[in-house]
Amino acid sequence: MTSSADRCTVISADCHAGADLLDYKPYLATRYHDEFDAWAAGYVNPYEDLLADTADRNWNSERRLAELEADGIVAEVVFPNTIPPFFPSASLMAPVPTREELERRWAGLRAHNRWLADFCAAAPGRRAGVAQILLNDVEQAVREVRWARDHGLTGGILLPGVPPGSGIPELYSPVYDPLWAVCAELGVPVNHHGGSASPPLGEEPAARAVFMVETTWFSHRALWHLVFGGAFHRHPALRLVLTEQGSGWIPGVLEMLDYYHGRLVAAAGRAATAESRFGTGLAAAMGASPGEVWRENCYVGASFMRPHEVPLRHRIGLEKIMWGSDYPHDEGTWPYSREGLRLAYAGLPREEVAAMAGGNAARVYGFDMELLAPHAARVGPAFAELAEPPAEVPADATSPAFAPGGKVRVW
């Protein structure tokens, strides 16, 4: 009989869920029920995957557990996916025209968070739910962080992107210090998910292509905003997780950030030059260099890590990398997560695979590996299986993890 020691405990650090639209109503304060009924009656969902027969993967707890287990996954970090009440789309940065509309959207996010707490409780120890907040009202955000932590949402919070022209302060602004402080105090991870920080570009074919080229870059911006803004210097226990933005970019960006940091700090100590004013006060505000901040405070939800990214794992930080399946999205690795793991990690030392496939996520999000061990013994992929690359890519796989040109390699 195969034991848990022979099998990998796979934790997906990037999954998505949410309630069916009308099922949010019981989680709304009763004063919003009539408004919700009117809103829901006229709402047209813009997302095809939420209208398909498979949409219930977002909220059908039993189906979800069964499909994830069949894919070798025993636990998951749960990001949002469906539309919260009173939002035109899933974007947390959708324009807010009035104070009343802002209040309704806060009510909608609270409804989602409360639904998510129940959804996570339906599978004890196997789901780390990520709570949603808005940045328009920092005091309300702080209260929601405390509520989420007190009610078992161990996935932390989803940090909304702040695209250019959003009308709210940039992420480096000290106005957000109360938010960073409460997250540091409670050990709540701050998650920044790819795709949420791009400015609107329109629907022209060129605009859609430009979005694909730029979307991860706009998501990366949260890293240097918080680093140069000194958030980690003022709140040393703060943790930032960058999810579904790739991972191969990290070493080069850290080198670039260290370069600018060193250059500006040095310039500030010299006689007045055109550049010296850019570095004035930077060293005192930041404390450590960007590279040091990354090593102490930051992690990457690398999702379906691609083979070409794996050789960079030690430069990224082996202890920083968390694999994710992106279930139930089309670009995710389901139902071929075993093949995705084998494609990326075949030939690596067993302890490295164990860390990236689950151990790191357990440490960041507080999963109990002993609790998960019996599930891994039942459904987890064997380390011997993961040690071998797949003979071929599944013909119907839709994840970029299997994109043409991604060679099957053994490291």
Side-chain angles (χ1 to χ4, degrees), residues 10-15 73 75-79 130 191 193 241 243-244 300-303 321-326 356-357 360-361 365 367:
V10 180
I11 300 171
S12 173
D14 181 22
C15 288
I73 297 167
E76 57 175 328
V77 179
V78 186
F79 287 87
V130 178
N191 304 277
H193 195 281
V241 182
T243 297
E244 201 179 336
V300 56
S303 298
I321 298 168
M322 300 179 288
W323 179 89
S325 71
D326 200 27
M356 293 186 287
N360 293 338
Y365 293 107
F367 289 102

Side-chain angles (χ1 to χ4, degrees), residues 304 329-336 393-403:
F304 30 81
H329 288 167
D330 288 344
E331 63 268 28
T333 53
W334 182 91
Y336 300 116
V393 169
D396 58 342
T398 56
S399 173
F402 304 107

Side-chain angles (χ1 to χ4, degrees), residues 93-284:
M93 290 309 303
V96 180
T98 65
R99 182 69 192 181
E100 291 74 19
E101 181 63 21
L102 177 60
E103 291 177 358
R104 281 191 291 270
R105 292 188 188 177
W106 262 113
L109 291 190
R110 291 192 187 96
H112 170 82
N113 294 342
R114 282 140 187 78
W115 173 87
L116 183 59
D118 283 350
F119 187 70
C120 291
R126 301 184 67 181
R127 292 175 180 150
V130 178
Q132 297 189 81
I133 61 167
L134 290 172
L135 296 176
N136 308 69
D137 188 324
V138 175
E139 289 184 4
Q140 287 200 63
V142 168
R143 289 195 292 271
E144 194 64 11
V145 169
R146 292 192 179 279
W147 183 94
R149 185 62 180 173
D150 289 345
H151 290 81
L153 293 181
T154 57
I157 61 166
L158 177 60
L159 179 64
V162 182
S166 64
I168 66 172
E170 298 282 3
L171 288 174
Y172 54 70
S173 171
V175 73
Y176 301 119
D177 261 11
L179 178 60
W180 313 142
V182 73
C183 290
E185 172 198 341
L186 300 179
V188 170
V190 175
N191 304 277
H192 192 55
H193 195 281
S196 66
S198 299
L201 295 172
E203 288 298 324
E204 294 292 327
R208 294 194 294 270
V210 168
F211 174 84
M212 290 299 294
V213 171
E214 295 182 343
T215 184
T216 52
W217 183 87
F218 277 107
S219 297
H220 301 343
R221 292 173 77 229
L223 173 62
W224 52 82
H225 277 232
L226 268 67
V227 167
F228 285 127
F232 301 101
H233 181 49
R234 296 188 297 276
H235 310 286
L238 184 65
R239 292 177 294 163
L240 176 68
V241 182
L242 302 170
T243 297
E244 201 179 336
Q245 305 176 28
S247 59
W249 59 276
I250 292 169
V253 165
L254 291 177
E255 289 177 4
M256 177 192 70
L257 298 180
D258 277 343
Y259 164 74
Y260 279 113
H261 172 262
R263 173 177 158 184
L264 293 173
V265 169
R270 293 196 294 266
T273 64
E275 193 170 81
S276 63
R277 62 189 179 89
F278 287 96
T280 301
L282 187 64

Side-chain angles (χ1 to χ4, degrees), residues 293-310:
V293 170
W294 175 266
R295 289 189 289 273
E296 291 296 323
N297 302 90
C298 302
Y299 303 85
V300 56
S303 298
F304 30 81
M305 201 172 185
R306 298 160 179 81
H308 70 271
E309 297 173 303
V310 177

